[in-house]
Amino acid sequence: MSDNPNIINHGDVQPEGPSAEPTAGLSAPKTAAGGVPALMSSLRHLHEETGVVRGARTLLRMNQTDGFDCPGCAWPDPENKRSHAEFCENGVKAVAEEATTKRITREFFQKWSVTDLSEQTDHWLGKQGRLTHPMVLRPGATHYEPISWDDAFQIIASELNTLASPDEALFYTSGRTSNEAAFLYQLFVRQFGTNNLPDCSNMCHESSGAALNETLGVGKGTVTLEDLEMADTIFVIGQNPGTNHPRMLSSLQHAVRNGCTVVSVNPLPEAGLIRFQHPQEPVGMLAGGTPLSKLFLQVQINGDVALLKGILKEMLEAEERSPGSVFDLEFIAAHTSGYDEFAADIRLESWETIVEQSGVGRDQIREAAEIAMRAERMICCWAMGLTQHKNAVANIQEIVNLLLLRGQIGKPGAGACPVRGHSNVQGDRTMGIWEKMPDRFLDALGREFDFEPPRRHGLDAVESIKAMHAGKARVFIGMGGNFLSATPDTIYTATALSQCDLTVQISTKLNRSHLVTGRTALILPCLGRTEADIQASGPQFVTVEDSMSVVHRSRGALAPASEHLRSEPAIVAGMASATLGARSKVQWDQLASNYDLIRDHVSHVIPGFHDYNERVRETNGFRLPNSARERSFVTATQKARFTVHPIPETKLAPDELLMMTIRSHDQYNTTIYGLDDRYRGIHNGRRVVLLNAHDIEELGFQPQEWVDLIGHFQGEERVAERFLIVPYDIPRRCAATYFPEANVLVPINSVADKSNTPTSKSVLITLRRSAEREG
């Protein structure tokens, strides 16, 4: 690994080079999502990456029953009324990135040393094109060099087989990995002898799974896409669908036109929840689009428990004034436990605390409660605005409390809707990508493949970073993703990765995780979703599970970016064969040549996948069972559980702010498509910090002044240099900065209770003026 500090600093340099000053421009935030600007942005990305004609042909296959699943978000597809253009602006960007005609060849790596590459931004790295050859960075080398697939697998096998314990290896998974690859991957890992299977869920919706499993007995959402069309009320909490799940806007628009009331809860007003201009409705765009949110509750950062308890208190007071008029007492009696303790706790909460800690006035809380009390069919949606706080599990369980009061679980048009991010992140977990899979799964896996899976729980993402940092984990293998950019405490994580003997990244494009490496590093290039997958038995398809538990096919059609690419299942099979040898009875090569064989095994191991190959070939695939939808709650009490949580108290010194990380409209997770955040009015720059205008003045700064952000946690300080102050409509004493640039401020030891998710939405910071740059 190079000693260049820019490797550790995770892309702190700017697009023009290490010494250039960022030049973010500002304009008024937008009040509508979609429309002509979305169309123009889509065309521009296609033109730059794929060519408009080739790109358009590819897009017409995306999210179609005979095509490929969007490599972006996990929003479900309509079953019976898909349009020919079943994609959004960010889906276009994702396809343009993957289907780009740009290529990274052997000659590229001959020209660019790891040190030189490290001085470029994440945006620049991603724009260089598709990886085309397996590459190795040997101990002490400055440049990657080509390597054969067999030699790469032998390096992996040698390093793994010389470890003192299988638990010294870590096997990470990104949410893009298909069901077939994920199942093979976890099988390889468990036959190797460990449950160290950290994944991207550990850093986003782990809190949702923990919260829902405890209260409803299932770690997934309970609604379908059709439920959103039937709902009369939808709460959207801690979520920005206009940027992160744009196709959700079509569902919200349809619901509003059916008479649904939408309530949005967020520290920032977001264009996608104000108004939607559907790009496929020219007349509607000319008319200004469809207003979405009837009520916007601008909660302060981490004020959600206080706000929700305020809504619950209003409802409880109304119920006690007129018993039986508000709550579904029959549902509560028959299907829930813990109501008395819950009600007693709500009665004791003071309105002063609720208003102070939520940042929302009593009148608005009452208005939200009245909407909830009128609702006959209510859905609550949420995303990472709730899941990345210390009290994240409590945030979500207060939503469950809200749903239980009026029996809004297990009936049409109602339920819990955690909106997942990456396109198969939920499917990977279903396939066994988890460090704590239950014994019933391990028992079935062992029977199917005639071995004894390890029972000791493995390490999650945060625990894996700590193990590498302490020298207790020596090999890291990443199945997709950009681990360094996705994880917290960037300098700490970079140091951890550099302690490894071997780091392996299975990737489609260059990213920063290829530049912060162990003693030896491998880049293994794989097929993308858009590309044809031809194996020994013929053309293959893979399957994915969307955010609402529908499993369906995905089949690419483009010619692969290089003849040297391999599919993810083939890469897993190659690693497993080389590593396990005669220790494994699995016919890895056969499974890699015919994915039907993998699915046959899945059908024997995982409930709900019976007749997998036959059912997934049906037009819309199939939906997995969900016991909570049937009002069967597999919890400790065999009922849905009310829970009790204290209101978190945020205490800030006069110069302190509570910061959350957010995403721009020109990115998806760690992939940076461009340098604009069109909806928020920020252009040509990402190193910005959004602050309330009164706080800027009170703290003695000026708009568009350069400041360093100083993170504070348990006596430790972390620094992110040179952020431009942007006045914004954000609650007092709150700040917002872009992920992953601000990940350096997220402490490795600041995690959510129960889920161990990094608290990227609750970071205590102060500001200081940046030093003047020379030149």
Side-chain angles (χ1 to χ4, degrees):
M1 173 183 158
S2 167
D3 60 2
N4 186 326
N6 284 317
I7 293 183
I8 300 295
N9 286 339
H10 177 61
D12 280 353
V13 295
Q14 300 304 315
E16 299 83 4
S19 62
E21 192 76 71
T23 54
L26 306 178
S27 63
K30 305 300 182 186
T31 57
V36 173
L39 291 172
M40 298 305 295
S41 173
S42 299
L43 288 171
R44 178 172 58 82
H45 280 273
L46 287 179
H47 174 72
E48 292 174 355
E49 299 291 344
T50 67
V52 173
V53 174
R54 178 173 178 269
R57 287 175 178 166
T58 304
L59 287 172
L60 291 175
R61 289 183 51 82
M62 185 162 71
N63 297 324
Q64 301 299 323
T65 56
D66 60 346
F68 64 92
D69 192 60
C70 176
C73 81
W75 191 251
D77 304 317
E79 291 191 0
N80 302 314
K81 46 186 176 182
R82 300 188 195 198
S83 72
H84 293 295
E86 194 60 55
F87 51 82
C88 66
E89 177 188 353
N90 272 12
V92 172
K93 294 174 183 175
V95 167
E97 284 281 309
E98 181 176 291
T100 181
T101 56
K102 301 172 186 174
R103 300 289 183 263
I104 293 180
T105 62
R106 302 179 183 198
E107 291 73 24
F108 175 92
F109 286 108
Q110 291 174 354
K111 175 182 177 181
W112 289 90
S113 70
V114 171
T115 298
D116 291 338
L117 288 171
S118 74
E119 294 176 347
Q120 306 305 314
T121 64
D122 291 359
H123 176 239
W124 185 93
L125 293 173
K127 288 300 181 183
Q128 300 314 297
R130 288 287 299 278
L131 296 161
T132 57
H133 294 77
M135 305 297 294
V136 60
L137 183 67
R138 300 188 187 277
T142 59
H143 291 67
Y144 275 96
E145 61 185 68
I147 188 173
S148 71
W149 280 103
D150 285 346
D151 287 348
F153 292 146
Q154 286 306 313
I155 288 176
I156 294 169
S158 176
E159 293 286 355
L160 288 175
N161 287 328
T162 56
L163 294 173
S165 163
D167 289 332
E168 292 183 345
L170 305 167
F171 300 86
Y172 175 75
T173 309
S174 162
R176 193 188 68 88
T177 305
S178 69
N179 285 341
E180 290 73 15
F183 186 79
L184 275 196
Y185 193 44
Q186 64 81 30
L187 175 62
F188 161 45
V189 171
R190 291 189 164 103
Q191 288 209 335
F192 177 65
T194 184
N195 282 308
N196 287 346
L197 284 158
D199 71 336
C200 57
S201 279
N202 296 151
M203 294 174 286
C204 56
H205 270 287
E206 195 70 49
S207 300
S208 297
L212 295 175
N213 267 313
E214 283 188 354
T215 54
L216 300 181
V218 61
K220 303 178 181 181
T222 67
V223 302
T224 68
L225 199 58
E226 293 71 29
D227 286 324
L228 269 85
E229 297 180 1
M230 292 185 281
D232 61 30
T233 303
I234 299 174
F235 277 70
V236 182
I237 310 174
Q239 185 193 359
N240 177 17
T243 287
N244 298 321
H245 314 93
R247 284 201 299 154
M248 181 179 175
L249 299 184
S250 297
S251 297
L252 292 177
Q253 181 189 56
H254 190 82
V256 167
R257 288 175 174 175
N258 284 343
C260 180
T261 297
V262 175
V263 178
S264 59
V265 181
N266 203 50
L268 300 179
E270 301 290 9
L273 288 169
I274 299 172
R275 184 179 291 269
F276 177 46
Q277 296 175 321
H278 201 306
Q280 297 180 36
E281 296 182 359
V283 175
M285 285 194 293
L286 291 174
T290 304
L292 295 182
S293 294
K294 180 177 181 180
L295 177 64
F296 170 48
L297 302 176
Q298 192 168 23
V299 67
Q300 65 190 28
I301 293 175
N302 203 27
D304 303 282
V305 168
L307 173 63
L308 288 162
K309 293 188 84 168
I311 294 171
L312 294 167
K313 189 174 181 69
E314 286 282 1
M315 296 174 69
L316 180 62
E317 291 175 353
E319 168 67 19
E320 292 185 335
R321 287 193 298 268
S322 179
S325 65
V326 176
F327 294 173
D328 187 338
L329 300 179
E330 183 178 342
F331 174 87
I332 290 171
H335 297 291
T336 75
S337 64
Y339 171 79
D340 290 340
E341 295 83 355
F342 156 80
D345 175 70
I346 294 295
R347 291 187 194 101
L348 291 175
E349 291 292 3
S350 75
W351 279 110
E352 180 182 5
T353 299
I354 288 169
V355 171
E356 178 185 1
Q357 293 301 320
S358 70
V360 179
R362 177 82 184 270
D363 289 345
Q364 277 201 307
I365 294 175
R366 182 181 298 111
E367 185 177 356
E370 289 171 351
I371 292 170
M373 287 188 283
R374 291 194 299 268
E376 296 297 327
R377 300 176 305 282
M378 184 171 76
I379 292 173
C380 289
C381 306
W382 70 89
M384 287 188 291
L386 292 191
T387 66
Q388 293 181 323
H389 301 276
K390 181 171 176 54
N391 49 276
V393 171
N395 288 340
I396 296 154
Q397 291 185 342
E398 292 293 357
I399 288 178
V400 174
N401 288 339
L402 177 61
L403 292 168
L404 294 181
L405 286 180
R406 288 179 57 78
Q408 305 283 14
I409 295 286
K411 69 179 183 181
C417 182
V419 183
R420 307 279 179 173
H422 223 152
S423 56
N424 197 40
V425 63
Q426 187 162 297
D428 290 345
R429 182 60 59 89
T430 302
M431 291 293 110
I433 301 294
W434 194 28
E435 70 278 2
K436 296 184 290 189
M437 288 300 288
D439 284 343
R440 63 181 179 275
F441 175 90
L442 299 176
D443 291 342
L445 188 71
R447 285 194 301 270
E448 180 70 8
F449 293 100
D450 193 20
F451 81 110
E452 179 54 41
R455 301 290 166 153
R456 178 182 175 183
H457 287 173
L459 303 179
D460 64 20
V462 168
E463 293 164 343
S464 293
I465 295 167
K466 290 181 178 181
M468 289 187 286
H469 199 276
K472 296 180 180 179
R474 309 300 305 172
V475 174
F476 175 91
I477 299 177
M479 176 64 75
N482 180 358
F483 186 77
L484 175 64
S485 293
T487 46
D489 215 338
T490 310
I491 294 175
Y492 183 97
T493 300
T495 302
L497 286 164
S498 70
Q499 307 273 47
C500 290
D501 294 327
L502 174 67
T503 50
V504 181
Q505 305 291 344
I506 300 166
S507 308
T508 57
K509 302 192 78 176
L510 189 64
N511 64 54
R512 197 154 301 275
S513 293
H514 302 131
L515 310 179
V516 179
T517 73
R519 183 173 56 86
T520 301
L522 290 167
I523 300 174
L524 304 182
C526 64
L527 293 173
R529 285 270 180 88
T530 57
E531 294 170 315
D533 185 350
I534 310 297
Q535 301 298 328
S537 68
Q540 304 296 310
F541 66 84
V542 296
T543 62
V544 296
E545 178 185 344
D546 66 31
S547 202
M548 295 180 182
S549 302
V550 174
V551 179
H552 58 90
R553 291 171 294 169
S554 177
R555 187 197 303 269
L558 292 179
S562 165
E563 63 180 339
H564 302 291
L565 303 186
R566 292 197 180 182
S567 72
E568 288 177 328
I571 293 172
V572 173
M575 292 191 296
S577 293
T579 302
L580 301 176
R583 287 179 287 163
S584 175
K585 300 176 183 178
V586 176
Q587 301 298 311
W588 297 99
D589 290 344
Q590 291 183 21
L591 296 179
S593 70
N594 185 346
Y595 301 169
D596 276 356
L597 300 179
I598 303 174
R599 290 186 284 268
D600 284 341
H601 285 300
V602 172
S603 70
H604 302 154
V605 173
I606 303 177
F609 282 85
H610 58 279
D611 301 323
Y612 192 176
N613 275 306
E614 293 75 17
R615 294 163 68 212
V616 83
R617 284 176 164 85
E618 295 175 5
T619 300
N620 295 307
F622 60 92
R623 189 182 306 280
L624 293 173
N626 186 303
S627 58
R629 282 184 58 82
E630 308 302 322
R631 294 192 168 179
S632 174
F633 302 107
V634 189
T635 68
T637 63
Q638 296 301 304
K639 293 186 175 184
R641 297 174 61 196
F642 284 96
T643 51
V644 173
H645 308 281
I647 292 177
E649 188 173 359
T650 300
K651 292 183 178 180
L652 299 174
D655 62 340
E656 291 177 339
L657 302 163
L658 194 60
M659 185 200 84
M660 64 178 182
T661 62
I662 58 176
R663 286 151 178 75
S664 82
H665 193 62
D666 253 0
Q667 75 177 101
Y668 189 75
N669 292 342
T670 59
T671 302
I672 311 300
Y673 301 132
L675 301 178
D676 294 340
D677 193 354
R678 187 175 75 245
Y679 291 157
R680 297 192 183 105
I682 298 168
H683 310 279
N684 195 38
R686 293 181 52 82
R687 299 189 71 79
V688 298
V689 54
L690 310 187
L691 300 174
N692 186 286
H694 295 291
D695 289 331
I696 297 171
E697 181 179 4
E698 196 171 276
L699 293 170
F701 296 100
Q702 298 292 326
Q704 300 190 54
E705 185 174 0
W706 292 102
V707 293
D708 300 337
L709 311 181
I710 316 298
H712 303 272
F713 181 75
Q714 296 181 349
E716 304 169 346
E717 285 192 354
R718 293 165 173 80
V719 181
E721 296 181 346
R722 299 194 70 76
F723 281 70
L724 189 73
I725 291 178
V726 175
Y728 208 81
D729 184 3
I730 187 172
R732 295 293 304 270
R733 313 300 298 282
C734 295
T737 51
Y738 292 132
F739 158 105
E741 286 81 357
N743 284 4
V744 67
L745 299 173
V746 182
I748 190 69
N749 289 314
S750 181
V751 294
D753 298 333
K754 297 184 179 181
S755 69
N756 214 37
T757 296
T759 59
S760 301
K761 296 290 192 291
S762 286
V763 182
L764 188 67
I765 66 167
T766 56
L767 311 179
R768 74 181 181 201
R769 284 184 173 81
S770 298
E772 292 294 330
R773 285 191 170 181
E774 297 180 2

